[in-house]
Each structure stands twice: as C-alpha cells, then as structure tokens.
Amino acid sequence: MNTSPSEAAVPATGSSRLALLALSVAAFAIGTTEFVIMGLLPEVAADLHVSIPSAGLLVSGYALGVAAGAPLLAALTARMERRNALLLLLGLFILGNALCAVAPNYGVLMVARVVAAFCHGSFFGIGAVVASHVVPRGQAARAIALMFTGLTLANVLGVPFGTFLGQWAGWRSTFIAVTGLGVLAAIAVWRLVPSLPDLPSPNMKRELGVLRQPQVLLALLMTVLGFGGVFTVFTYIAPILQQVSNVSVGATGWVLILFGVGTTIGNMLGGRLADWRLMPSLMGVLAVLALIMVAFAWTMHNTIAAIVTVFVWGVAAFATVPPLQMRVVQQASEGPHLASTLNIAAFNLGNAIGAFIGGSMISMNLGLPSVSIAGAVVAMLGLLVTLTSAALERRRRTVPAECAVGA
C-alpha cells in the first residue's frame, strides 16, 4: 500500500517528542557556537594577540560560512535520506568545533569557524522538513517551533553559560563543551529520529526558479539589512558593556542572559505580529529597533540604563525574525525549501556585514557608541527596502484593478 510523504514513517506521540527533542538539542548546540564568540571576544583577542576588530571577524567568518554553505550543502544533500543528511551536517559541526578548541593561532581558528558554520543553514532547512514529518498531520507548525526552541534556548542559556565557562576556564573550554554537545546531538538524532525514505527530494530546478522573482530577492535583502543592524552592535556587546557601561567581566554573562530572555519574548511577539499584519508589523519593528540602537549610543554610558536597553533591544531585535522568515516563504511559495535555507544564509550574511561595519567603526577610532549608531543606520536601510517591497506589491495589485476598470 502506498503512503503519502507526509504520512510516511510517522511514529507514535512519544517517539515524535523524542525525535523533536533530538533536533532541539542539535539546534541548541548550533545556536550556542554561533553566538557565544561575542561574549568571549576580549579573551580570544588577548590569547591570540589580535585586536578586538580582528576577533570580531570570527563572527563574520562563521556567518559567511553559513551563507556559502547553505546553498552548497542543500544541493549536495538533496538526494540523501534526510536523517543521514542531518548526521553528515552534524559531523561537520563536530569537526569544526573540535578544531576551534585546539586552534594554535587566529588563522586556524577562522578556518575552523567556517567549517563549523557549513552545517548551519542546511541543518535548519532539513530539520524543519523532518520535524514536520515525524508528527501526525496538523501538528507540523508546532513541531517546527519546538525544534527552534533549541535555538532560542541557546541565547538564554548556551551563550551566557558558555561565556561564564570561557571566562573561568579559558575560551577553548567553551568549544570543547560545544563539541561534546554536538556529539550528544548526533547520537540523539541517530537513535531517535526515524528514517524517512519515502520523503521526496526537493525539485532543485523549481526551487532555483523562485530566485528570479524580484520580491523574493527583496525579501532576502530585507533580512540581510534588517538583521545586519543587530549584529553591528551585538558582535561587540562584551567590550561595550565592560569598557563603556562599567559592567564587570563576571557580570557580562548575566546581562547576556537578560538579552536572551528579551530575544525569547521578541521571537514570540514577532510571530504574533506577523500572523496579524506582516508588512506593517515588520516596518514598525525595524523602526523601533533603529530608535533603540540610537538610544543605546547614550544609555551605554550608564550601567543600569545600558542593562535595561540591552533587554529591550533583545525584544526588538528578535521580533524581526519570524516576519522576515515568513516574508521569504510567502513570496517563494513555489520553492520554499531553498528559499527558507537561503534566508538562514541571509541572516548570517547580515551578521557578517554587521560585524565588519562595527569593527570598522572601532578601527577608525570613532568610539564604541558609534557602533550603535552604525547599527541603527543599517536597520534603517532594511526598513527602506521593506517600504520599497510593500510599495511594489501595492502597485502590482493596483495595476490589474485599473486594467479591469478600463476594460
């Protein structure tokens, strides 16, 4: 008897939860290794004898690895059984983080970060598909949300506690711990995620075809700029807090926990706003985000005001994520798999650009407050692209209506 792909290999409820837990553990590990470097920039820079801007480029290297690896690995793993593809990607993750832990110099650490990053975009693209197929029909959205809970928890728990560990036992210890998490995640995926041999491979020709649509390209550009402003500042949050806000090294991790709580709230808020009115909500959130970063250029000089601003900024920053992701999928309805993966790449390209811009402001001796102003400018450019996309959409709807009246 034939079964449809959405019904194939759907396990019992208990097995579904265990499979989603395995994917969440992997998402937690990947999210932690992406963001934890920001809290350890001073330690890495001092140990490897490089400047803070040079250490910040490790963020750009990872992000560019995601941007390059997402489409490449999506193509290379397109015909693989989905669980096997996830295990291959986790193998790259483990290798990259193990190299980070033993890197003898800055150059090797940069290469190791890129290797670890290669799994990122494709893992979340494939993982979302797997999550939606290991649960009964009608529970796909909740399953994907549960998988991405691991990424959210990485901001709340993984990054601050990874920062604590790195400050206490050396930054290499953090990457040893993340490597261990990667091994645990791989074992969990191998043992708990079912094989899905009947799941059809994506049609890459059709998926690539959506990239010819201007609105899809605009949506990807909105992601690059809208989230790029966040990482212009977040990349250098540790030196900002320690050098300008007078937050102690030990307390930096606690402020990052508060930021993580803000991102969790923002992620939920952004989802609700996107379901309500997608484009107006995105415009509003980007405008608020830019205003907060302008304010941070002044509030960072006061410890309490800086900590409050970091929390509010976390809410606004991650309130952009669901609508940016939804906009791409909405506009690329004929090829959502590659478009969704490319949007993960776009987020990380924004991270890379933001880290470079922030580092350039520091290198030009413009002061750490200028980094926050630069972040606001990048976010405003994202808002400008969003307004352009909305205007083109309104024009497209108006022209056929006018033609119909004329006829």
Side-chain angles (χ1 to χ4, degrees):
M1 182 175 68
N2 294 328
T3 57
S4 68
S6 62
E7 296 171 336
V10 176
T13 302
S15 298
S16 300
R17 290 173 180 167
L18 289 174
L20 293 174
L21 177 62
L23 294 172
S24 295
V25 170
F28 178 83
I30 293 171
T32 298
T33 204
E34 177 183 17
F35 297 127
V36 76
I37 194 72
M38 271 74 82
L40 297 173
L41 281 190
E43 287 75 17
V44 172
D47 185 50
L48 298 180
H49 307 292
V50 298
S51 66
I52 289 291
S54 294
L57 290 178
L58 293 167
V59 177
S60 297
Y62 185 95
L64 291 173
V66 176
L72 177 62
L73 270 295
L76 291 176
T77 61
R79 296 187 179 278
M80 290 182 66
E81 192 277 320
R82 301 290 85 186
R83 183 181 64 179
N84 291 338
L86 291 175
L87 290 172
L88 173 64
L89 295 169
L90 285 172
L92 281 175
F93 174 83
I94 293 165
L95 174 63
N97 281 284
L99 286 174
C100 286
V102 300
N105 54 52
Y106 177 82
V108 175
L109 181 58
M110 177 65 80
V111 172
R113 289 281 290 170
V114 173
V115 171
F118 259 54
C119 81
H120 188 122
S122 292
F123 183 89
F124 284 108
I126 296 171
V129 174
V130 171
S132 66
H133 283 80
V134 299
V135 292
R137 186 185 298 276
Q139 297 182 19
R142 279 173 286 177
I144 294 171
L146 185 57
M147 184 194 76
F148 275 90
T149 299
L151 190 59
T152 303
L153 287 175
N155 285 304
V156 180
L157 299 175
V159 172
F161 284 101
T163 301
F164 285 137
L165 178 61
Q167 291 168 347
W168 173 65
W171 65 270
R172 296 177 190 277
S173 64
T174 299
F175 287 101
I176 293 172
V178 172
T179 302
L181 274 175
V183 173
L184 178 64
I187 294 171
V189 168
W190 173 52
R191 297 287 295 176
L192 301 176
V193 174
S195 176
L196 299 170
D198 296 328
L199 193 63
S201 301
N203 185 322
M204 293 306 294
K205 183 177 180 180
R206 186 176 62 192
E207 297 276 335
L208 287 167
V210 302
L211 297 180
R212 292 195 295 267
Q213 300 176 20
Q215 284 288 15
V216 173
L217 298 177
L218 282 173
L220 292 171
L221 183 57
M222 285 157 51
T223 298
V224 171
L225 296 173
F227 207 68
V230 174
F231 265 72
T232 301
V233 185
F234 188 50
T235 301
Y236 305 96
I237 191 64
I240 287 173
L241 291 174
Q242 293 168 20
Q243 297 176 27
V244 183
S245 306
N246 296 316
V247 175
S248 68
V249 172
T252 300
W254 293 107
V255 179
L256 291 177
I257 290 176
L258 189 63
F259 177 82
V261 172
T263 65
T264 304
I265 296 171
N267 195 51
M268 293 187 293
L269 176 63
R272 289 182 178 274
L273 290 173
D275 283 337
W276 174 54
R277 294 184 69 189
L278 176 58
M279 291 298 278
S281 297
L282 184 54
M283 295 172 197
V285 171
L286 287 173
V288 169
L289 178 62
L291 288 173
I292 292 171
M293 286 190 286
V294 169
F296 190 40
W298 282 269
T299 61
M300 70 172 63
H301 293 280
N302 178 278
T303 304
I304 300 300
I307 293 172
V308 172
T309 306
V310 166
F311 169 75
V312 177
W313 176 49
V315 175
F318 275 68
T320 64
V321 174
L324 286 171
Q325 185 75 6
M326 183 179 291
R327 178 65 176 177
V328 169
V329 173
Q330 180 191 77
Q331 296 300 313
S333 57
E334 296 178 0
H337 295 86
L338 181 60
S340 181
T341 299
L342 287 176
N343 202 44
I344 299 296
F347 275 114
N348 282 272
L349 182 58
N351 297 353
I353 293 171
F356 174 77
I357 291 172
S360 297
M361 304 300 288
I362 297 171
S363 296
M364 290 188 290
N365 296 316
L366 296 176
L368 288 169
S370 69
V371 174
S372 196
I373 298 296
V377 171
V378 177
M380 288 301 294
L381 290 174
L383 175 60
L384 180 62
V385 175
T386 306
L387 290 168
T388 302
S389 177
L392 290 174
E393 193 169 49
R394 284 195 299 270
R395 182 179 178 184
R396 186 186 65 187
R397 291 172 179 172
T398 303
V399 171
E402 291 175 347
C403 291
V405 171

